[in-house]
Amino acid sequence: MKRIYWNAFEMNCVGHINHGLWKIPGNKRAHYKNLEYWTDLAKTLEKGRFDALFLADVVGLYDVYKGGLDTSIKEAVQIPANDPFIPISAMAHVTSNLSFAVTFSTSYEHPYGFARRMSTLDHLTNGRIAWNIVTSHLESADKNFEVKQYLDHDEKYDLAEEFLEVCYKLWELSWDNDAVSLENNDCYASPSKVHKINHKGKYFNVPGPHICEPSPQRTPVIYQAGMSERGRYFAAKNAECIFLGGKDIDTIKWFIKDIKNKAFSLGRSQNEIKFFMGLCIITGLTDDAIREKIELYKAFWSVEGNLAHYCGGQNLDLSKYEKEDILNGSKVTDILDNLRKIDGKWFRVITGKPVEVVNQIQSIIEETDIDGFNLVQFHSPHTFEDFINYIVPELQNRELYQKDYSPGTYREKLFYGKHEYKFNNFYYNPPKDI
Amino acid sequence: MKRIYWNAFEMNCVGHINHGLWKIPGNKRAHYKNLEYWTDLAKTLEKGRFDALFLADVVGLYDVYKGGLDTSIKEAVQIPANDPFIPISAMAHVTSNLSFAVTFSTSYEHPYGFARRMSTLDHLTNGRIAWNIVTSHLESADKNFEVKQYLDHDEKYDLAEEFLEVCYKLWELSWDNDAVSLENNDCYASPSKVHKINHKGKYFNVPGPHICEPSPQRTPVIYQAGMSERGRYFAAKNAECIFLGGKDIDTIKWFIKDIKNKAFSLGRSQNEIKFFMGLCIITGLTDDAIREKIELYKAFWSVEGNLAHYCGGQNLDLSKYEKEDILNGSKVTDILDNLRKIDGKWFRVITGKPVEVVNQIQSIIEETDIDGFNLVQFHSPHTFEDFINYIVPELQNRELYQKDYSPGTYREKLFYGKHEYKFNNFYYNPPKDI
């Protein structure tokens, strides 16, 4: 089997995906404000040999359902939501191999400050950083950040391309590999090896140079998650890892094929992109234990919370429609029924005893040729603990999960692992020592 | 004696203030890229009962001397310079009482994202955060961030006032103290207790609400460091702590008096602002040991580095002038002579055995009525270790240094300490439980 990659899916907030479940007694989601929540999580994940912690983020608010923010506030639907960059250095301090994929939108802040934050993270984690690029779509974020007024969806991707170009130039072009040489005690860095980037574009004009010296990876591993036509083109052009979301096998297959074709037409190799899908797992050692967990999640499930999330994401207020109305090709009543189910929203839910779960995972891998998964939580930290205790050993038996970490940076771990040695370099300016 | 506050002065870079000294064998300044540099430092400072780590920052480049950046790159004069926010959570994880004063300029990024980062830091450090507000003055930063083109000095303060107003509204007005109540298991927060801020101003229009729930301090402790007329007015209006820099006793006294007068005229009490000055100390147990250190620092001292720093800060290229020219009331040759001396640039240097040093500190306190010091480094971590080993015990004997930490947030430690109980609340909207 090929190497499969496993990420823990998280967000610096109370209600991320499966709304209502923060109320389960003992669920630690409301501890997101405490540093120990994050350091304990990181230690658990590294002990369990997770490849990375994937930190989602949203800077806007889900304020569409019932015409406002009330439901999101009641149900803690990604509000409050703290900054995802801040806890990373603490998690890096208590681990040595776990990587961190952090979401940042290209639509709201300037690339010069962002590139510096990322370089700093890459330095301090010793190369264990990825950037999940999003362009964002929530109007409230546009308003609160006062971005160049309300770019449309595709224009946000044009801006994202240029944002990324500025970052590539700062990360890859500005400082030569041998600009800093501590053996040369005459100077810290050689002026002739530090370059301005002189970027002049439609959205940005950045002379440079980068204010940071080269970090272990220079450019963080690039993740991307948007699934529109324009988003897939962007991903095919730029991403090393793509998070597809996805419940439906045929849709996943179609996305992978489409993006691989796009990548190929852009001159990239078919196999240099890793594809990830979201996955929810409910497991235990007995059918009774599994049934109990399912009943627990159903009991605390917040349909209202899921509605607020769905309506915000779709920019569509379902409360204004009749049950029989047709929206995006579906009856409103069917959408509502779907949001009522704990396996209803965005990700595939697999339930069963370890061998049953792993059988299903294996068949997903075989059917879709997927490379990895973002594991979604119901219950923190129980979901990850269950996975580590029950599922990982069976996955390891089938060589679907690493038994130990490979050395090196996150990029090296992803592309130079035991099972794959090929690395197709597509950087703007390839680091010279790779 | 009144309670005196002690901060360690640092920057996430190689060359901060005393240029050239990173080359001293064993000086760990070039380790700023490693997380352990920061966690070791934090542990040392907490063991030594420092009140806070003060993290300076600059997002521009010192590119004026000799018409470019070459000298700064050679001498590592605040380039490279990593982001100061990123290492804080790791340092918070290895300490429980040390506070962190972090510098952020109001001129380059939007308050909505900044307010969120600060709230996140305040949550995760459990209220051990201060914000050192600067407006910045380096043209290269204006260019790289493409700020509303080149506001003049005073306009940057107008913008800073409004930036701060937006932050106050997000931090203090948006969420009521009892908005989040985990006892009320019906909902995470009450919609009627989360408010938009609807800020409409000259520079910013931010509807809100804040995306973070209230953190322990809500507003971080406010530091300010600009010493111009407009800067002092800003400080008198907004600051809880003011970093004066300052070599000359009479200048310090005049600044303190002027700011206190301004604060009083703005309706604030004379004593609700803490004043800090920078201080360099070279000490040891014998005269020989002290002389050796002085000789070591002199041997590695970089006049070129100090010139690059000075010229960038003054926006004045000394290389273009003759020795006898007069600039800002001083002869060029005198400025140059001053930059050649290890006690020449910005901060007072005290040398001597512990009792001699503490005698001088005590007389500075008595003469100026200063409240605290930012201790400047020559040699990392030796400068702080010397201070902790040699100076702190003598300071403690004279009650000029805390023997243990007071409980609570940084603000509570500053204003409810053993020696002072009065707290003059000047918030935009006072937190209701203070």
Side-chain angles (χ1 to χ4, degrees):
Chain A
M1 283 298 273
K2 68 176 180 180
R3 165 92 152 83
I4 302 297
Y5 300 87
W6 291 90
N7 298 331
F9 199 33
E10 252 289 2
M11 186 167 164
N12 197 348
C13 68
V14 178
H16 176 200
I17 299 282
N18 290 321
H19 298 293
L21 304 194
W22 65 269
K23 293 178 194 173
I24 296 173
N27 194 339
K28 292 203 172 167
R29 290 237 54 86
H31 295 224
Y32 79 101
K33 296 175 292 186
N34 303 334
L35 197 48
E36 288 65 34
Y37 174 86
W38 297 101
T39 50
D40 288 350
L41 172 68
K43 284 187 270 189
T44 299
L45 297 178
E46 180 153 292
K47 207 175 141 208
R49 299 290 183 266
F50 271 83
D51 287 283
L53 173 66
F54 186 107
L55 288 156
D57 192 38
V58 153
V59 289
L61 309 162
Y62 291 85
D63 57 3
V64 175
Y65 180 56
K66 294 183 178 170
L69 198 53
D70 285 12
T71 308
S72 291
I73 290 172
K74 276 187 203 163
E75 304 293 332
V77 177
Q78 303 193 358
I79 178 174
N82 280 351
D83 186 274
F85 284 64
I86 301 293
I88 293 176
S89 75
M91 293 192 282
H93 178 67
V94 299
T95 55
S96 26
N97 278 291
L98 184 71
S99 295
F100 305 94
V102 61
T103 301
F104 185 79
S105 170
T106 52
S107 299
Y108 304 119
E109 297 189 271
H110 194 276
Y112 198 74
F114 168 73
R116 183 188 191 211
R117 287 187 187 104
M118 266 294 171
S119 293
T120 306
L121 273 172
D122 200 50
H123 276 299
L124 294 181
T125 63
N126 209 11
R128 292 188 276 147
I129 280 290
W131 170 23
N132 177 43
I133 305 179
V134 295
T135 53
S136 312
H137 55 281
L138 298 177
E139 203 177 293
S140 59
D142 292 359
K143 285 183 184 161
N144 276 322
F145 277 97
E146 308 172 63
V147 288
K148 292 160 190 168
Q149 289 302 308
Y150 313 102
L151 296 177
D152 75 17
H153 175 277
D154 283 7
E155 279 176 304
K156 279 192 170 168
Y157 274 103
D158 295 343
L159 183 141
E161 298 270 13
E162 198 183 319
F163 188 108
L164 194 55
E165 191 185 335
V166 174
C167 290
Y168 282 149
K169 287 175 177 173
L170 291 168
W171 289 327
E172 303 288 341
L173 286 182
S174 187
W175 292 61
D176 294 347
N177 279 342
D178 58 351
V180 174
S181 165
L182 294 185
E183 282 93 66
N184 170 10
N185 212 12
D186 272 354
C187 62
Y188 187 78
S190 307
S192 64
K193 295 173 179 173
V194 178
H195 315 287
K196 289 204 168 192
I197 63 165
N198 290 322
H199 175 84
K200 289 194 177 110
K202 181 173 172 191
Y203 301 102
F204 301 110
N205 291 293
V206 181
H210 193 27
I211 196 167
C212 305
E213 63 180 290
S215 63
Q217 300 186 114
R218 289 180 171 261
T219 299
V221 170
I222 302 289
Y223 268 82
Q224 204 267 354
M227 282 304 106
S228 65
E229 175 68 22
R230 182 71 180 86
R232 294 195 307 279
Y233 175 81
F234 181 90
K237 188 172 165 192
N238 297 295
E240 294 166 271
C241 298
I242 297 178
F243 178 35
L244 298 166
K247 281 180 70 172
D248 175 64
I249 295 296
D250 288 334
T251 310
I252 294 278
K253 284 164 76 172
W254 187 88
F255 274 149
I256 292 177
K257 191 179 153 202
D258 178 73
I259 294 171
K260 283 192 173 179
N261 285 341
K262 284 184 166 65
F264 188 70
S265 75
L266 287 161
R268 295 179 69 185
S269 148
Q270 296 263 351
N271 296 315
E272 70 185 49
I273 303 174
K274 308 287 184 199
F275 293 90
F276 290 75
M277 60 181 276
L279 191 63
C280 306
I281 295 172
I282 305 174
T283 191
L285 294 182
T286 65
D287 289 331
D288 279 352
I290 297 163
R291 215 169 7 246
E292 248 176 53
K293 284 176 198 173
I294 294 173
E295 291 310 316
L296 181 71
Y297 301 158
K298 281 186 180 168
F300 283 92
W301 195 251
S302 166
V303 180
E304 285 287 289
N306 284 302
L307 269 165
H309 196 169
Y310 176 89
C311 293
Q314 298 289 320
N315 199 18
L316 199 65
D317 183 358
L318 286 184
S319 73
K320 288 186 182 158
Y321 292 88
E322 301 297 326
K323 284 189 174 178
E324 300 304 311
D325 289 345
I326 307 285
L327 292 172
N328 299 338
S330 304
K331 265 194 199 170
V332 168
T333 188
D334 292 339
I335 299 173
L336 290 173
D337 283 348
N338 211 28
L339 292 172
R340 279 194 193 96
K341 292 187 292 189
I342 64 168
D343 64 347
K345 212 161 44 168
W346 292 306
F347 302 114
R348 203 172 176 81
V349 180
I350 292 177
T351 64
K353 286 182 276 193
V355 169
E356 296 159 2
V357 166
V358 175
N359 285 343
Q360 292 176 72
I361 291 171
Q362 187 164 350
S363 86
I364 290 173
I365 296 168
E366 284 163 4
E367 274 192 82
T368 58
D369 199 28
I370 199 89
D371 299 289
F373 297 91
N374 276 3
L375 196 66
V376 181
Q377 296 175 86
F378 291 99
H379 194 167
S380 306
H382 300 61
T383 301
F384 294 145
E385 287 173 351
D386 278 1
F387 178 77
I388 291 166
N389 292 333
Y390 302 137
I391 305 300
V392 166
E394 182 59 26
L395 286 169
Q396 285 173 331
N397 287 342
R398 305 192 200 179
E399 295 196 19
L400 296 172
Y401 200 98
Q402 65 182 349
K403 286 189 173 143
D404 209 345
Y405 289 101
S406 311
T409 65
Y410 188 28
R411 178 171 290 113
E412 287 163 347
K413 286 174 164 66
L414 279 166
F415 291 96
Y416 296 103
K418 279 183 198 156
H419 303 268
E420 289 180 55
Y421 297 94
K422 189 164 177 301
F423 181 61
N424 299 284
N425 205 315
F426 61 94
Y427 296 103
Y428 192 85
N429 174 38
K432 290 184 187 69
D433 54 1
I434 283 181
Chain B
M1 283 300 272
K2 68 176 179 179
R3 165 91 153 85
I4 302 295
Y5 301 88
W6 291 90
N7 298 332
F9 198 32
E10 252 289 3
M11 187 166 163
N12 196 350
C13 66
V14 177
H16 176 199
I17 299 284
N18 290 322
H19 297 292
L21 304 193
W22 66 268
K23 295 178 193 173
I24 295 174
N27 193 340
K28 292 202 172 169
R29 291 238 52 86
H31 293 226
Y32 80 101
K33 298 175 291 187
N34 302 333
L35 198 46
E36 289 63 36
Y37 175 86
W38 298 101
T39 49
D40 288 350
L41 172 68
K43 283 186 273 189
T44 298
L45 297 179
E46 181 154 291
K47 206 176 141 209
R49 300 290 184 265
F50 271 83
D51 288 282
L53 174 65
F54 187 107
L55 287 155
D57 192 39
V58 152
V59 288
L61 308 162
Y62 291 85
D63 56 4
V64 175
Y65 179 57
K66 294 183 177 169
L69 198 52
D70 285 11
T71 309
S72 291
I73 289 172
K74 276 187 205 164
E75 303 294 332
V77 176
Q78 304 194 356
I79 177 173
N82 280 350
D83 185 275
F85 284 64
I86 300 294
I88 293 176
S89 75
M91 292 193 282
H93 178 67
V94 299
T95 54
S96 24
N97 278 291
L98 184 70
S99 295
F100 304 94
V102 60
T103 301
F104 185 81
S105 170
T106 51
S107 298
Y108 305 118
E109 298 188 272
H110 195 275
Y112 198 73
F114 168 73
R116 184 190 190 210
R117 287 187 187 105
M118 267 292 171
S119 293
T120 306
L121 273 172
D122 200 50
H123 277 300
L124 294 181
T125 63
N126 210 12
R128 292 189 276 148
I129 281 289
W131 169 24
N132 177 41
I133 305 179
V134 296
T135 53
S136 313
H137 55 280
L138 299 177
E139 203 178 291
S140 58
D142 292 0
K143 284 183 185 161
N144 277 320
F145 278 97
E146 306 173 66
V147 289
K148 291 159 192 169
Q149 287 304 309
Y150 313 102
L151 295 177
D152 75 17
H153 175 277
D154 283 8
E155 277 175 306
K156 281 193 169 169
Y157 274 104
D158 294 344
L159 183 140
E161 298 269 13
E162 200 184 318
F163 187 109
L164 194 54
E165 191 185 336
V166 173
C167 290
Y168 281 149
K169 287 175 176 174
L170 290 168
W171 289 327
E172 302 289 341
L173 286 180
S174 187
W175 293 62
D176 293 350
N177 279 341
D178 58 351
V180 174
S181 164
L182 294 185
E183 283 93 65
N184 170 11
N185 211 13
D186 273 355
C187 62
Y188 187 78
S190 307
S192 64
K193 294 173 179 172
V194 179
H195 316 287
K196 289 202 166 190
I197 63 165
N198 290 320
H199 175 85
K200 289 194 178 108
K202 180 174 173 191
Y203 301 101
F204 301 109
N205 290 293
V206 181
H210 194 27
I211 196 166
C212 305
E213 62 181 288
S215 64
Q217 298 186 115
R218 287 180 173 261
T219 299
V221 169
I222 302 291
Y223 269 80
Q224 206 266 355
M227 283 304 106
S228 65
E229 175 70 21
R230 182 69 181 87
R232 294 195 308 278
Y233 176 81
F234 181 90
K237 188 172 164 192
N238 296 294
E240 293 165 273
C241 297
I242 296 177
F243 178 36
L244 298 166
K247 281 180 71 171
D248 176 65
I249 295 296
D250 287 334
T251 311
I252 295 277
K253 284 166 76 172
W254 188 87
F255 275 149
I256 293 176
K257 191 178 153 204
D258 177 73
I259 295 171
K260 283 191 174 183
N261 285 341
K262 284 185 167 62
F264 189 70
S265 75
L266 286 161
R268 295 181 68 186
S269 148
Q270 297 262 352
N271 297 314
E272 70 186 47
I273 302 174
K274 308 285 184 201
F275 293 90
F276 290 75
M277 61 182 273
L279 192 62
C280 306
I281 296 172
I282 305 174
T283 190
L285 293 182
T286 64
D287 288 331
D288 279 352
I290 297 162
R291 212 167 12 242
E292 248 176 54
K293 284 177 199 173
I294 293 172
E295 291 310 316
L296 181 71
Y297 302 158
K298 280 185 181 168
F300 284 91
W301 195 252
S302 165
V303 180
E304 285 289 289
N306 285 302
L307 269 165
H309 195 168
Y310 177 89
C311 293
Q314 298 288 320
N315 198 19
L316 199 65
D317 183 359
L318 286 185
S319 72
K320 290 187 183 158
Y321 293 87
E322 301 297 326
K323 284 190 173 177
E324 300 303 311
D325 289 345
I326 307 285
L327 293 171
N328 299 337
S330 303
K331 265 195 198 169
V332 168
T333 190
D334 293 339
I335 299 174
L336 290 172
D337 283 346
N338 212 29
L339 292 171
R340 277 191 195 100
K341 292 187 290 188
I342 64 169
D343 65 347
K345 210 161 46 166
W346 293 307
F347 303 114
R348 203 174 176 82
V349 179
I350 293 177
T351 64
K353 286 181 276 192
V355 169
E356 295 160 3
V357 167
V358 176
N359 286 344
Q360 292 176 73
I361 292 172
Q362 186 163 351
S363 87
I364 290 173
I365 296 168
E366 285 162 2
E367 273 191 84
T368 59
D369 199 27
I370 200 89
D371 299 288
F373 296 92
N374 276 3
L375 195 66
V376 181
Q377 296 175 86
F378 292 99
H379 194 170
S380 306
H382 301 61
T383 302
F384 294 146
E385 287 172 352
D386 276 1
F387 179 76
I388 292 166
N389 292 333
Y390 302 137
I391 305 299
V392 166
E394 183 61 25
L395 286 169
Q396 285 173 331
N397 287 343
R398 304 190 203 180
E399 293 196 19
L400 296 172
Y401 200 96
Q402 65 183 349
K403 287 191 173 140
D404 208 346
Y405 288 101
S406 311
T409 64
Y410 188 28
R411 178 171 290 113
E412 287 162 347
K413 286 173 163 65
L414 278 165
F415 292 96
Y416 297 103
K418 279 183 197 156
H419 304 268
E420 289 182 53
Y421 297 94
K422 192 164 175 301
F423 181 62
N424 300 285
N425 204 314
F426 61 93
Y427 296 102
Y428 192 85
N429 175 39
K432 290 183 187 69
D433 54 1
I434 285 180

